[in-house]
Amino acid sequence: MRIHPLRLAMVMALWCAAAAAAPRTLEGTVTYRERMALPPSAVLEVKLLDVSRADAAARTIAQTSVAPAGQVPIRYRLQFDDAEIVPGGRYALQARIMVEGQPWFATTTHHAVLAGGVDEAAIMVERVRTDPGASPAETPAGRWLAEDIRGGGVIDGLQTVLEIADDGTVTGSGGCNRMAGKATLSGNRITFGNAAATLMACVPAAMDQERKFFDALKDVRTWRVDPLRRKLTLLDGGGQPIIVLAKM
């Protein structure tokens, strides 16, 4: 069967147009350096921007929103029309994490893609400071009540309290005896020095919880704060939670 040349040309033109407009996909992850959890209401937004013109605002080619399942790194998948990409153009990825309409994290540097090489789609976002004069939410300083010690929970009605000052001074109670000591803080790293404690005797269960608390403090190496749930997690050198505390 012969195909008319004009019809063949039309078919080829349509095929070429469809091929030129074929969708493409960028996949990657978004992460941040802070040891803090995201609340359930967090939303990740990722955009592909055309930044070719220095004298004009960036044009959005494609965007996607992701509700994080768990914590960072957060995976994203961004589909765009290949016909939007012009040889010689300049393109970049932009990401931000929003919580109840407020930006918590955002890209702060140019993240170029589609430049002819391998696209680096792993995006690092930075903490957004909406109030430079306020104390950051992600700090272990404050008064905390132990909710779990090494996965074994705590005794109801027995308060094991840890108070950390901005200068690292530590006070509190193991549940029976008062304690005082010093913590060394550097970024997200924290270690507790030997603490002095009173020598009161209490019921065996209280003494057992206090001993476990003091022993666990010796193994702490890093901290993580969930500002929305108002929780402080102290972790060992392997990144495993060993003490979970709630803000008092």
Side-chain angles (χ1 to χ4, degrees):
M1 181 179 69
R2 297 184 60 187
I3 301 177
H4 192 280
L6 180 58
R7 178 173 295 180
L8 179 61
M10 292 176 63
V11 170
M12 291 298 295
L14 290 172
W15 182 86
C16 291
R24 289 177 60 184
T25 302
L26 281 171
E27 296 185 65
T29 59
V30 173
T31 191
Y32 48 77
R33 294 184 178 89
E34 287 82 354
R35 283 185 173 270
M36 59 181 292
L38 291 173
S41 59
V43 176
L44 167 66
E45 300 176 352
V46 181
K47 293 182 179 181
L48 173 61
L49 303 175
D50 183 344
V51 294
S52 301
R53 294 184 59 183
D55 60 344
R59 180 175 65 89
T60 300
I61 295 174
Q63 64 183 60
T64 187
S65 297
V66 179
Q71 303 307 319
V72 294
I74 307 166
R75 297 205 63 84
Y76 70 89
R77 190 168 186 268
L78 190 64
Q79 285 193 320
F80 61 97
D81 188 343
D82 193 39
E84 296 274 2
I85 307 305
V86 179
R90 296 175 63 245
Y91 305 94
L93 289 173
Q94 181 185 83
R96 64 178 184 173
I97 298 174
M98 305 290 290
V99 177
E100 297 180 359
Q102 297 297 319
W104 275 29
F105 295 89
T107 44
T108 58
T109 58
H110 182 71
H111 196 95
V113 289
L114 306 177
V118 176
D119 291 319
E120 178 52 62
I123 305 172
M124 178 69 71
V125 290
E126 302 289 339
R127 189 79 164 99
V128 175
R129 303 291 184 184
T130 56
D131 182 2
S135 298
E138 62 278 11
T139 172
R143 196 162 190 259
W144 306 91
L145 176 66
E147 290 188 336
D148 183 80
I149 302 171
R150 296 194 189 274
V154 292
I155 300 171
D156 291 339
L158 180 67
Q159 290 199 333
T160 296
V161 177
L162 178 67
E163 187 165 359
I164 306 173
D166 290 330
D167 65 355
T169 298
V170 174
T171 55
S173 169
C176 176
N177 288 282
R178 297 288 302 170
M179 59 172 287
K182 192 78 172 179
T184 301
L185 289 152
S186 178
N188 288 311
R189 297 191 63 79
I190 183 171
T191 54
F192 292 87
N194 292 328
T198 57
L199 299 174
M200 294 175 57
C202 298
V203 298
M207 296 296 290
D208 181 60
Q209 177 167 304
E210 182 171 272
R211 177 186 57 77
K212 291 177 179 177
F213 178 63
F214 288 158
D215 286 347
L217 285 177
K218 297 175 184 178
D219 293 334
V220 171
R221 295 295 179 269
T222 60
W223 58 268
R224 181 176 66 222
V225 165
D226 182 338
L228 192 71
R229 296 174 59 232
R230 295 165 60 85
K231 304 285 187 183
L232 168 66
T233 302
L234 300 175
L235 308 97
D236 63 17
Q240 295 301 311
I242 52 178
I243 307 176
V244 179
L245 307 104
K247 190 80 169 179
M248 296 184 71

